[in-house]
Amino acid sequence: MSEPKDLSNDPGLRVAQDEVVTLASELIRIDTTNTGDPATVVGERVAAEWVAEQLAEVGFETTYVESGAKGRGNVVARLAGADQSRGALLVHGHLDVVPADASEWSVHPFSGAVQDGYVWGRGAVDMKDMVAMTLATARRLKRDGITPPRDLIFAFLADEEAGGTYGARWLVRNRPELFEGATEAISEVGGFSITLKDDVRAYLVETAEKGIAWLTLRVRGTAGHGSMLHRDNAVTKLAAAVSRLGQHRFPIVLTDSVREFLAGVTEITGIDFPEDDLEGAVGKLGAVSRMIGATLRDTANPTMLSAGYKANVIPTVAEATVDCRILPGRQEAFDRELAEILGPDVEREWLSLPPVETTFDGALVDAMTASITAEDPGAHVLPYMLSGGTDAKSFQELGIRCFGFAPLKLPPDLDFSGLFHGVDERVPVDALKFGTRVLDRFLRNS
Ligand SMILES: [Zn+2]
């Protein structure tokens, strides 16, 4: 690239860095709580209309779509690129947030307070930070008449926190033309820094996500009186199966993303990850070990139990819910193990979203790395796998290569992964400005 490295005097970029803080704060003030119950959703439409206004103000044409349900607002806008023969890059973000209990917080979770160098509130890291950075950058590109190398599609979405039924998944299945030509995408839960030693940071780009599989277990027995001898009790049988599954440890399987992440950490720090104590070694990585540790193997955590209606009645049916998270490529092996653990008497019903995995290479990854190191020289950029799920699961249905890249340079002592859905969620003001500079460079060079 021929552009100068120092953009600190670019007036357009200065404006973007100033307004990203206000945009993040104003977005947080719009309560877009998503409980998972469509009847309780209030703010998504307001947020989507507000986003559309911010885009229209600088000359974008926007498309507002309610995804089959009232108030579930989504906004899509396009910025034409120089080379129309290239596939478009999709930048997507969700506008909804998980609930927050104000009594637990130091500031009101929907105050958007800017204090102590942070923007505070529900959504500050998940993911109104990235939405604000995207808006600030999109506005800057449009305002300054900058033509990106290829089409950029900006999508602001409802309902990610409940699986995207009224957001990404609905749009992908009902309005795929909005994403026409998109070949690659970036969004949340990647691009943030972890400090590996002293002043050496690695920025983690999400290249993979575990699959989500919510499993209902059902055991049928014979109903009867609780006072008598009874050999076919559904509750007893279900409890035994749940206990076996809850205590089962699935094997460690190193996928490419995890292997590359660990190799990168070894190269930077010299820390070894011996096969016979992989989890012990990963456990020493600090706050990020909670996230990385969950990507070493499949997990199956029982989360709900339900059976019976009276103390002296043995019920016919007992049910349990298990939150299963499955590594890419492991579905069949997982099913086999599960069948063995549960046995033939336990019925199984699935609600599944697939895993995601792409490779950590190519021009887009090079552009991510270059835009990070331009702002943080000496930084490393590594791939990693997210143990949770995002709207990437929906967009990969369109054949789009999905990455998590919401760049943030974070202080070494901040427990970033603990802030997701956590109390006192907040994002450093400097990190928002850093991310806006990185995103600006990235979008002008991708
Ligand atoms: Zn999110």
Side-chain angles (χ1 to χ4, degrees), residues 94 126-127 160-161 188:
H94 63 83
D126 186 9
M127 63 170 292
E160 190 273 346
E161 296 292 359
E188 60 177 331

Side-chain angles (χ1 to χ4, degrees), residues 122-313:
R122 177 55 85 224
V125 301
D126 186 9
M127 63 170 292
K128 289 177 171 173
D129 55 341
M130 177 59 173
V131 170
M133 295 187 323
T134 304
L135 271 178
T137 310
R139 281 162 60 89
R140 160 336 195 244
L141 295 177
K142 191 74 175 178
R143 215 191 273 119
D144 294 350
I146 296 168
T147 304
R150 55 166 161 165
D151 276 17
L152 299 175
I153 303 169
F154 300 104
F156 304 89
L157 306 161
D159 201 32
E160 190 273 346
E161 296 292 359
T165 309
Y166 299 102
R169 198 136 52 94
W170 191 92
L171 290 172
V172 159
R173 291 179 184 176
N174 296 280
R175 298 291 303 273
E177 77 281 1
L178 292 170
F179 311 103
E180 176 89 57
T183 52
E184 292 167 311
I186 61 164
S187 189
E188 60 177 331
V189 223
F192 56 92
S193 70
I194 57 170
T195 303
L196 288 172
K197 59 173 188 188
D198 303 328
D199 205 25
V200 180
R201 276 168 295 281
Y203 289 77
L204 307 190
V205 172
E206 191 220 283
T207 53
E209 289 177 8
K210 281 174 110 175
I212 301 173
W214 288 327
L215 170 63
T216 303
L217 303 178
R218 192 172 300 111
V219 173
R220 296 176 198 278
T222 311
H225 198 291
S227 67
M228 298 184 203
L229 294 178
H230 199 93
R231 298 202 189 286
D232 188 30
N233 185 322
V235 174
T236 312
K237 284 202 243 172
L238 178 79
V242 167
S243 171
R244 287 196 302 276
L245 182 54
Q247 286 172 41
H248 181 72
R249 302 273 275 167
F250 290 88
I252 288 184
V253 177
L254 281 188
T255 56
D256 290 343
S257 314
V258 177
R259 196 183 294 279
E260 274 183 72
F261 168 80
L262 296 176
V265 173
T266 302
E267 209 181 295
I268 299 161
T269 62
I271 295 173
D272 263 333
F273 296 97
E275 252 173 60
D276 57 350
D277 186 26
L278 196 54
E279 282 178 321
V282 167
K284 290 179 195 142
L285 287 177
V288 77
S289 64
R290 275 205 307 276
M291 209 156 60
I292 303 297
T295 61
L296 300 177
R297 56 171 98 228
D298 304 327
T299 56
N301 280 312
T303 48
M304 293 161 80
L305 284 170
S306 128
Y309 51 88
K310 193 168 187 303
N312 61 355
V313 180

Side-chain angles (χ1 to χ4, degrees), residues 32-106:
T32 51
T33 297
N34 184 357
T35 61
D37 173 5
T40 66
V41 167
V42 280
E44 283 177 348
R45 182 199 181 113
V46 180
E49 286 175 347
W50 180 85
V51 163
E53 267 167 41
Q54 306 307 312
L55 292 169
E57 192 180 73
V58 292
F60 274 102
E61 267 178 48
T62 61
T63 307
Y64 175 84
V65 185
E66 286 198 0
S67 40
K70 205 161 174 281
R72 311 310 297 262
N74 301 268
V75 173
V76 182
R78 216 177 246 262
L79 185 61
D83 185 351
Q84 288 294 314
S85 72
R86 289 185 61 196
L89 174 64
L90 168 66
V91 185
H92 61 97
H94 63 83
L95 297 171
D96 61 324
V97 296
V98 293
D101 178 354
S103 70
E104 298 176 333
W105 285 57
S106 316

